[in-house]
Structures are given as structure tokens and as C-alpha cells.
Amino acid sequence: MTNTSPDATTLFVCVTCKTQTAEPVSSEEPRAGARLLEAIHAVAGERRDGVTVVPVECLSNCNRSCTVAVTAPGKWTYIVGALDPDAHADDVLAFARLHQRHEAGLPPWRERPEYVRKNTIARVPPLPRSSEEASLP
């Protein structure tokens, strides 16, 4: 799913994430992260709402996989982990849409899906848009 809007939020989905269970995963079975990506696409359908979904090879959060990152230029970035591909695609997409609609990428805490509130790994401040902003205290 792509969106060419400069205000689009990007939802990065780690497709190499494995499940957190001790059960061996068949080499023929898609990894949990790839299944999460498929589930997000299925939930989103044709409704993009300013969210671009991008698969990535690794978000280096293997201890709390499945993991996604939600970001946009000039906005805060969120890393969310411990996602279940069979249960959390709706929550992830709902949060990405909230992020997209909020000017600074900081949707009110109570509006975020409960699972996202409880499993946010990190919140990263936006990079300054210009060298002038970078020098401000």
C-alpha cells in the first residue's frame, strides 16, 4: 500500500520477526512479522487514510517481536512491540491513523488502542526540519 502525500505517516512492519513461543516454526510457514504485514494489508483494504505501510527486514527488537514503527516527517516516532499477527493488526492501523491526523504525531494517550499504550517500546522525538530549529534550546 502506498501513499504519495508528504504528510503521510509511515508504518514500518518488521517482516523478519519470529513468534515469542518456544515452538519451532516451519521454514515453509511465513514468519510472524510477515503475517502481521499481511493482516494489516487485509484490515486496511483500500482505505489508506494517509498511512503508507512499508515492510522492513529488521527493527532490532527481537526480544519483544512482532514490532512496528510509526513515523512521519517532523513528527514523533513510536516503536510498538509484542504484537500478535492474529490479534493486533486493527490496533496497529488505528494507531497509525491517529498518528497521521495529529500535527505532532502525539495522539492523546487515552485515544490510543489499549494494546498500543501498554506495548510502546519507545517514543523518539522528531528531527528538526531546518538547521535553525536544530540550534533552538
Side-chain angles (χ1 to χ4, degrees):
M1 158 183 328
T2 60
N3 185 328
T4 58
S5 167
D7 296 326
T9 284
T10 300
L11 171 60
F12 291 109
V13 180
C14 178
V15 295
T16 56
C17 282
K18 296 180 182 179
T19 60
Q20 289 298 308
T21 64
E23 298 175 25
V25 176
S26 163
S27 61
E28 295 176 17
E29 182 180 326
R31 289 188 176 201
R35 291 189 358 251
L36 178 61
L37 177 68
E38 290 173 16
I40 290 168
H41 282 303
V43 168
E46 293 300 313
R47 266 191 75 209
R48 298 190 178 152
D49 295 333
V51 175
T52 301
V53 180
V54 178
V56 294
E57 288 298 316
C58 184
L59 289 173
S60 290
N61 189 41
C62 302
N63 290 335
R64 290 192 61 196
S65 63
C66 290
T67 301
V68 300
V70 180
T71 191
K75 293 185 177 186
W76 285 78
T77 296
Y78 286 82
I79 311 296
V80 182
L83 296 163
D84 180 336
D86 300 321
H88 299 125
D90 284 318
D91 289 341
V92 167
L93 191 57
F95 179 67
R97 288 173 173 155
L98 287 170
H99 182 274
Q100 192 280 329
R101 289 192 299 265
H102 192 278
E103 183 179 337
L106 292 167
W109 187 82
R110 292 187 193 279
E111 291 179 17
R112 300 173 196 169
E114 182 178 1
Y115 197 83
V116 170
R117 290 192 312 248
K118 292 182 177 182
N119 290 281
T120 297
I121 307 298
R123 184 178 85 166
V124 181
L127 290 171
R129 293 181 187 228
S130 69
S131 58
E132 284 181 18
E133 286 181 11
S135 65
L136 293 176

